[in-house]
Amino acid sequence: MADDKKHAEIDAALVRQLAEILNETDLTEVEVERGELRIRVAREVTVNAAPVQYAAAPAPVAAPAAAAAPVSMPSDPATIVARAGEEVKSPMVGTAYLQPSPEAAPFVQPGDKVKKGQTLLIVEAMKTMNPIQAPRDGVVADILVGDGQPVEFGEPLVLLEA
């Protein structure tokens, strides 16, 4: 019985630590496994829009080269132009999707006015769709990634202007 109580205390402390990790990051869930013990802590993410259905990325289809070309930075530093505005960066490694499903309209487009908390795009990481939200009200100056493009942690995704 004392051994069961000890495990319960360890479990509660671990759950609290996992919950703190969720609160400190933009993760929507975290899971830990120690021997036979497996704990998963998740939080519900609410979006200020109609319910969205997510689908797997479509298989590559022949498309015009301009539409399929990934966005890339110039390799010559002299050609890099300073961008005015705030970069919304990826909080994780994953795949960026600009619309909720392949046949749906994009979440946002350059020139759109957005409100704080509005979904700009989603990043899929480990089969979990993570909405990337506007950190403040503003105007979308540029979308810096392509649909279905792999993204790295800290990579700029969207440029917001005041």
Side-chain angles (χ1 to χ4, degrees), residues 72-77 79-81:
S72 63
M73 292 296 293
S75 57
D76 179 8
T79 62
I80 297 176
V81 177

Side-chain angles (χ1 to χ4, degrees), residues 13-96:
L14 181 56
V15 169
R16 282 188 191 95
Q17 288 175 341
L18 295 174
E20 285 177 26
I21 290 170
L22 287 180
N23 288 332
E24 293 170 0
T25 65
D26 285 333
L27 296 174
T28 55
E29 68 180 67
V30 63
E31 186 172 330
V32 173
E33 190 170 340
R34 291 183 182 165
E36 294 180 18
L37 175 67
R38 182 175 169 186
I39 298 175
R40 177 179 169 265
V41 178
R43 66 176 165 177
E44 185 175 321
V45 176
T46 57
V47 178
N48 297 339
V52 178
Q53 291 194 354
Y54 298 105
V61 177
V71 177
S72 63
M73 292 296 293
S75 57
D76 179 8
T79 62
I80 297 176
V81 177
R83 294 183 223 153
E86 177 182 353
E87 292 178 337
V88 178
K89 298 181 179 183
S90 179
M92 64 196 73
V93 174
T95 303

Side-chain angles (χ1 to χ4, degrees), residues 82-88 136 139 141 158-162:
R83 294 183 223 153
E86 177 182 353
E87 292 178 337
V88 178
R136 59 174 175 79
V139 176
V158 175
L159 187 63
L160 282 184
E161 294 177 337

Side-chain angles (χ1 to χ4, degrees), residues 130-160:
N130 302 281
I132 306 304
Q133 300 174 341
R136 59 174 175 79
D137 292 357
V139 176
V140 176
D142 199 5
I143 298 174
L144 306 172
V145 294
D147 188 53
Q149 176 181 332
V151 294
E152 296 294 325
F153 171 80
E155 181 176 341
L157 303 172
V158 175
L159 187 63
L160 282 184

